[in-house]
Every structure is written in structure tokens, then in C-alpha cells.
Amino acid sequence: MPRPVILTVDDDPAVSRAVARDLRREYGEHHRIVRAESGPTALEALREIALRGEQVAVILADQRMPRMTGVEFLEQAMDLFPRARRVLLTAYADTDAAITAINVVDLDHYLLKPWDPPEEKLYPVVDSLLAAWRESSDRPSATIRIVGNRWSARSYELRDLAARNQLSYDFFRADEPDGARLLEAAGADPDVLPVVIAEDGRTLVQPTDAQVAEAAGLATTASEDVYDLVVVGGGPAGLGASVYGGSEGLRTVLVESRATGGQAGTSSRIENYLGFPNGVSGDQLTTRARLQAEKFGTEVLTTRTVTALEPKGRARVVRFDDGSEITAHAVVLATGVSYRMLECPGLDDHTGQGVFYGAAATEAASCAAQDVYVVGGANSAGQAAMNFSRHAARVIMLVRGPSLTASMSHYLIEQIEANPRIEVRTCTEVCGADGTDHLEKLTLRDRNTGAEETVEASWLFVFIGAAPRTDWLDGVVARDGRGFVLTGPDLPRDENGRAPAGWEPDRDPFHLETSVPGVFAVGDVRADSVKRVASAVGEGAMAVSLVHRWLENR
Ligand SMILES: Cc1cc2nc3c(=O)[nH]c(=O)nc-3n(C[C@H](O)[C@H](O)[C@H](O)COP(=O)(O)OP(=O)(O)OC[C@H]3O[C@@H](n4cnc5c(N)ncnc54)[C@H](O)[C@@H]3O)c2cc1C
């Protein structure tokens, strides 16, 4: 295998040589160091590397170059090597430009010049970027081929499932020659789609999520019958509990119904998570957390939905929809919240066919040079609008309220205002949708005047708040009126001020403990939680220390 490339570009020959020398000294054995002295020559080098089928792991570019700035270069480099990690070299005075650039080229890091000594300032950065690159490229997953119709909702779901689980996949349209050839070779009926062809040649017709996950090499069934801890939900809270559970010696299994990462995994850039001054993509953060949990021995099951919880004496049993179950000494509920559906005539018919809930990252590139409508006025909608603006001709944000200020962070409003491709339409709501096999038209209503307007639209992304899906806990753990799980001091008390009905232990519930002893709730699903990545992770970690107390004294 050829060594992966680390490329550095700086127009100052002395600096360019110095960076290359430092990189070669530390990384030369396992990487090929390529240096260039201008953006265009560096792009030329990248094209040649791509032609030879080699890989690029890290690109370091100086910002102030005469013919092409570092950001302009990185923007084009991303098209050639989207997974390469990107670093901008800036002088002290350029840090503002660098921070702004983070949003344009999804920068991983910026380094202030000079970086002496490299052992302290350069190598730790490159080390962590190389590790992140390896994680994203070396996932042990087989390539699966999905053949389906362009606008089929189920085909979209399978692409989304594969993308969110970092599975390597190719999508073929059944009505195009390559897709038709694949179906014929697999002996599959082109009228019964989608079809998934696994790397070992197995053909799965209209498969379930779990069948696709299995075919791609993900674990979907538990290896043991009994665990110390079952964590339900693989967002930041569940991953936090899994990392701490595993690292503290608990036999831990994490059960996730779709893809680890949860809502955070769909965020294009989390700006406020501690320790990431340049922001971090939710996918990167949570993929690393999953690997960290697995490193500590936590078993991760994907595409498995927990549908029931039953306390059985001292044991806690969780059940799946196929009737199988896992028994544990303790349970952490970390099931978060799900997007609320937008109610209006015609919209349901097009879910997954132009209408999407959440960021639907797999669709971003397909929106190239088209109009994209984004519904919602909170940070999630703002982040998505910024992300789509990199591909779309125009992003039109539809906001019910009179402005964004009440619902969106100031920094994001500034980015949106400065983005010429984003238009914000306030006091506007969607009141109708129409199309044949996919979305073609939207009807918009001005909330002040009641005036309606029909616009041509193929893409609508909805971000209108979220609600917990906890019906399966009904009658087992106490929840508030909106379905959020009550814990610790929020639990209803009996007439003596002690909690709660049916509570047996001779102590009050722990802080994150539900009305069932030994069952804890963390993150967004917990009543009155903060709805932030950091707090979700923190609660996951804290729950594990409470699990230890429960195990010691039960
Ligand atoms: C687009 C977007 C951008 C955001 N940006 C930021 C930001 O910049 N900063 C910030 O601090 N916060 C941000 N947030 C909020 C943050 O992502 C959430 O607060 C955080 O993800 C909550 O973590 P959680 O683990 O509690 O729940 P979730 O992330 O919702 O994860 C819950 C997981 O549980 C799984 N699950 C649900 N039910 C079951 C079941 N029955 N069985 C098995 N699995 C189940 C789900 O599939 C999901 O993966 C953003 C949210 C969104 C949507």
C-alpha cells in the first residue's frame, strides 16, 4: 500500500521547506510528505495523487498566498479529498480570518506561525488529525451497493442509515444502466426495490435496517445474556455513559436504534463543546466517542430498538421488538428526542421524497445549484442552512416568528446574515405541498396578511423542535405530561414527602435515578435537562458513578 500523503503549501520557500522538514522528521516513515509553494501547484499535485489512487491524510495550507488564499485552496482541495483533515497556517493577525474560514471549509485546526517547538505545537495537532483520519477511513465495514429509485423514501432511508453509520456504500439508480446491470446480475426483480448487494455477493431484497447493518459488518445482537449495565440510546448521553461504564470495568452494552451519534451526529458543526475552539462536526465527535467506548470494552449494538423495560426482582430486563431481551443489573435511558413532524396537507406523502426531517446529510450534494427550503428558526435550522448554502443555489429559511433573535445564537445569525446565498423569510409558514413521485411545489402563507404563494420546490428540510418518544415506558417509569422522564428530586413524592409510589429502597432516589431503582435517565430525554451536547455527556458520565452506588447497596 502506498503511504498516505501529508501535503503542505506555503508561498514562502523557507517556511515551506521548514514545515516539510519538520513533518518528514516525525511522519516520514509512514507518510509521504509533499510540499508546494502555491495553491495552483498544490492542486495540481493533489490531482496527480488522486489519479494514482493514493490517499491524502492531512493538508496544511498557508492563508496568505498571493494567487490563491489558503481558504480558497482548501475549498477546492476538499472536492478532491473530502476526508483529508485540513489545517490553516496563519500569522497572529489572521486569527479572525481563520475562525471565519472554519465555516467555509470545515477547517479542523488553525496553527499560528511560528510553531516552534514542533514537539509541542505541531506534532500533537497532526497526531490527532491523523488519528481522526484513520478512524474515518479504516472503519471495518464492507462496501454495500444499494439499488433503488431516486425518489423512493425507503432508498433514502437506507442511504441515510449507511451514511450515519459510516458504512461504505454506493447508490445506483434502478433506471440507469449500472443499476439495471447490477439487478440483472443479482437476479433481482426491478419492480421490488430497494435491493442491497453485500460485499460477499448476498442479495437482500427490501431488507430491514438490521439486515443491512449485519451485511455491512455491524453488531446487532448481544454476545451475552447478562450485563452490569445496558445503555439505551447512542447519542452523546448514551456514549458518555458507555465510555465511563466500559472504562470503569462494568460489563456494558449500548443499544442504538439507528446510528450512534444521535442528534449531535447530524450536526454539521458543534461550536460550543468544551475543548474544540474551532468547532467540531457532530459526526466526528460522536464517531470518536463510539470508538472510545468500544476501546474500553463496551459492546455496541446498532439498528436495535428497545420496546419494553421490565424490573424483575433485582434484575432489569430490556426487550426488543422481535421478543429477544437483555438482562442487566442497571439501565441508563438515553433516548433523547426526535424531530416533530410538520403538519400540513400533502407533506406526509413526500417524506423522504424531497421532504426531510433533520439535516439529511446524504442529500446535501444532490441539492447542488437548486433552491433549498429550510423550516425552523433555531440553531439546528441555522446550522443546516449554512451547510446547504455550500451546495445549493439559494437557501430560503422559513421562520414563523418575526425574527431569528429569540431562537438562534447570535454567532449563527451573523453568519447567516453575511451569507449571500441564504434568504430568511420571517412570519412565514408552509401550508401545503404537492408533487407526483417527489416534492414539486410548496404553498407558503404570510402569517401577518394571510396571503398565500405557491413556489416550485424540490427540497424541504424541517427543523421544528423535538419531542421524546417514550411511550414504551408508560406505566413503568414516571414521566411528565410531555413524556420526558422524571428523575431524582423531580419525582412525585408520597404524602410523607418521600419518593415515589412503589419505591422500595431505604433511601431517596439518586439525582439521575428514575422512579424505578437502578434505572437512570440522562440527556435530552430527562425532564428539565439542558439540551446540550456537553450536559448530555456529563450526565452520562455522572450516571455511571450512581450505577456503582446502586450496585454496591442494592
Ligand atoms: C442539528 C442539531 C444541531 C445541534 N447543535 C448543537 C450544538 O452546536 N451544541 C450543543 O450543545 N447542542 C447541539 N444540539 C443539541 C444536542 O445535539 C443534543 O442536546 C444532544 O444530542 C442530546 O444528546 P442525547 O444523547 O440526550 O440524545 P440524542 O442525541 O437525541 O440521542 C438519542 C439516541 O437514542 C436513540 N434511541 C431513541 N429511542 C431508542 C430506543 N427505544 N432504543 C434504542 N435507541 C433509541 C436515538 O436513535 C438516538 O440516536 C444540536 C441538535 C441538533 C439536532
Side-chain angles (χ1 to χ4, degrees):
M1 278 288 284
R3 290 169 298 166
V5 167
I6 301 177
L7 181 136
T8 165
V9 49
D10 195 310
D11 65 307
D12 180 334
V15 176
S16 171
R17 273 196 301 274
V19 187
R21 187 194 55 228
D22 286 345
L23 289 171
R24 206 165 283 123
R25 184 150 53 89
E26 184 70 10
Y27 304 105
E29 192 182 341
H30 300 295
H31 299 83
R32 191 158 76 83
I33 313 298
V34 175
R35 91 179 169 87
E37 290 179 10
S38 75
T41 50
L43 281 176
E44 202 43 54
L46 286 179
R47 281 189 203 104
E48 277 176 26
I49 294 166
L51 276 178
R52 284 201 296 270
E54 292 178 30
Q55 303 206 49
V56 176
V58 177
I59 303 174
L60 300 97
D62 182 39
Q63 166 63 355
R64 290 198 183 182
M65 296 187 290
R67 289 165 60 199
M68 185 185 265
T69 66
V71 174
E72 286 164 351
F73 159 71
L74 287 172
E75 214 174 348
Q76 295 190 39
M78 272 169 84
D79 293 337
L80 291 164
F81 290 97
R83 281 190 301 103
R85 300 293 153 173
R86 296 174 282 275
V87 182
L88 198 63
L89 304 174
T90 63
Y92 177 71
D94 283 339
T95 48
D96 279 353
I99 290 170
T100 312
I102 287 163
N103 299 308
V104 182
V105 292
D106 208 12
L107 200 67
D108 290 294
H109 209 95
Y110 67 88
L111 269 177
L112 292 184
K113 295 195 285 188
W115 54 84
D116 271 345
E119 287 73 13
E120 273 177 33
K121 297 192 176 158
L122 179 66
Y123 299 156
V125 171
V126 177
D127 282 348
S128 77
L129 295 178
L130 284 173
W133 177 79
R134 276 194 298 272
E135 280 159 15
S136 67
S137 61
D138 285 350
R139 270 191 85 78
S141 80
T143 296
I144 55 170
R145 285 172 289 179
I146 304 169
V147 190
N149 290 321
R150 170 69 192 91
W151 289 108
S152 139
R154 184 61 186 150
S155 290
Y156 159 69
E157 280 173 10
L158 291 183
R159 292 201 304 275
D160 184 63
L161 177 77
R164 291 197 49 206
N165 279 295
Q166 290 88 39
L167 302 179
S168 162
Y169 79 97
D170 291 317
F171 175 65
F172 297 88
R173 283 173 57 160
D175 57 358
E176 288 185 346
D178 284 351
R181 264 196 298 276
L182 271 174
L183 288 175
E184 198 184 333
D189 180 348
D191 292 328
V192 188
L193 297 173
V195 163
V196 170
I197 301 161
E199 202 169 60
D200 61 10
R202 256 180 307 159
T203 301
L204 310 171
V205 179
Q206 297 187 331
T208 61
D209 289 358
Q211 286 171 328
V212 174
E214 267 165 24
L218 294 179
T220 58
T221 46
S223 66
E224 298 182 35
D225 293 330
V226 182
Y227 291 81
D228 292 321
L229 173 62
V230 176
V231 179
V232 186
L239 288 166
S242 301
V243 166
Y244 284 85
S247 70
E248 292 174 19
L250 299 177
R251 279 171 305 150
T252 304
V253 60
L254 168 67
V255 183
E256 164 55 46
S257 61
R258 191 146 181 82
T260 50
Q263 299 167 71
T266 68
S267 166
S268 49
R269 185 159 287 280
I270 295 166
E271 304 263 8
N272 53 2
Y273 190 65
L274 189 76
F276 290 87
N278 302 344
V280 58
S281 90
D283 180 39
Q284 254 180 53
L285 183 73
T286 54
T287 300
R288 286 171 149 220
R290 175 189 171 130
L291 289 169
Q292 199 173 10
E294 287 174 327
K295 183 188 91 176
F296 285 126
T298 293
E299 225 177 292
V300 178
L301 310 184
T302 324
T303 65
R304 297 305 303 271
T305 301
V306 174
T307 52
L309 168 69
E310 190 191 336
K312 249 191 190 170
R314 287 178 176 187
R316 305 287 173 257
V317 178
V318 297
R319 288 222 170 81
F320 301 103
D321 41 9
D322 63 358
S324 60
E325 59 184 45
I326 301 178
T327 300
H329 302 308
V331 174
V332 169
L333 301 171
T335 51
V337 291
S338 307
Y339 282 109
R340 259 202 289 270
M341 308 293 275
L342 185 60
E343 309 276 341
C344 82
L347 215 59
D348 273 3
D349 301 340
H350 297 299
T351 305
Q353 302 172 337
V355 177
F356 301 93
Y357 288 85
T362 49
E363 300 306 289
S366 309
C367 307
Q370 301 178 53
D371 283 355
V372 166
Y373 286 81
V374 170
V375 180
N379 280 6
S380 50
Q383 285 180 6
M386 287 297 295
N387 201 27
F388 286 124
S389 72
R390 287 173 32 195
H391 305 275
R394 227 167 32 127
V395 178
I396 301 104
M397 293 189 73
L398 306 174
V399 182
R400 281 166 60 95
S403 81
L404 292 173
T405 43
S407 50
M408 194 179 286
S409 297
H410 182 64
Y411 77 88
L412 208 47
I413 296 178
E414 282 185 338
Q415 289 174 9
I416 286 169
E417 283 173 353
N419 189 322
R421 290 201 188 162
I422 303 181
E423 181 189 319
V424 180
R425 292 183 60 169
T426 53
C427 301
T428 305
E429 62 190 4
V430 180
C431 60
D434 201 6
T436 46
D437 62 344
H438 69 96
L439 179 70
E440 288 166 12
K441 287 188 173 64
L442 284 175
T443 306
L444 311 179
R445 183 187 294 132
D446 183 319
R447 284 167 53 86
N448 288 331
T449 64
E452 291 188 2
E453 175 196 0
T454 299
V455 293
E456 309 246 313
S458 302
W459 302 98
L460 179 75
F461 296 88
V462 184
F463 301 81
I464 53 165
R469 299 227 174 109
T470 53
D471 295 352
W472 59 280
L473 292 168
D474 193 29
V476 184
V477 300
R479 298 174 300 150
D480 71 7
R482 294 184 300 152
F484 290 97
V485 177
L486 295 163
T487 54
D490 296 333
L491 284 165
R493 308 258 142 183
D494 66 14
E495 63 278 8
N496 303 319
R498 296 206 35 141
W503 181 258
E504 286 176 5
D506 187 20
R507 60 169 174 84
D508 278 349
F510 297 131
H511 192 68
L512 299 172
E513 201 168 23
T514 67
S515 56
V516 177
V519 176
F520 301 81
V522 295
D524 283 12
V525 75
R526 197 174 67 77
D528 283 333
S529 64
V530 181
K531 316 284 185 284
R532 288 280 184 276
V533 177
S535 51
V537 172
E539 287 185 10
M542 181 175 162
V544 170
S545 73
L546 300 175
V547 166
H548 283 298
R549 280 161 70 178
W550 152 251
L551 294 177
E552 280 157 19
N553 299 308
R554 80 202 162 102

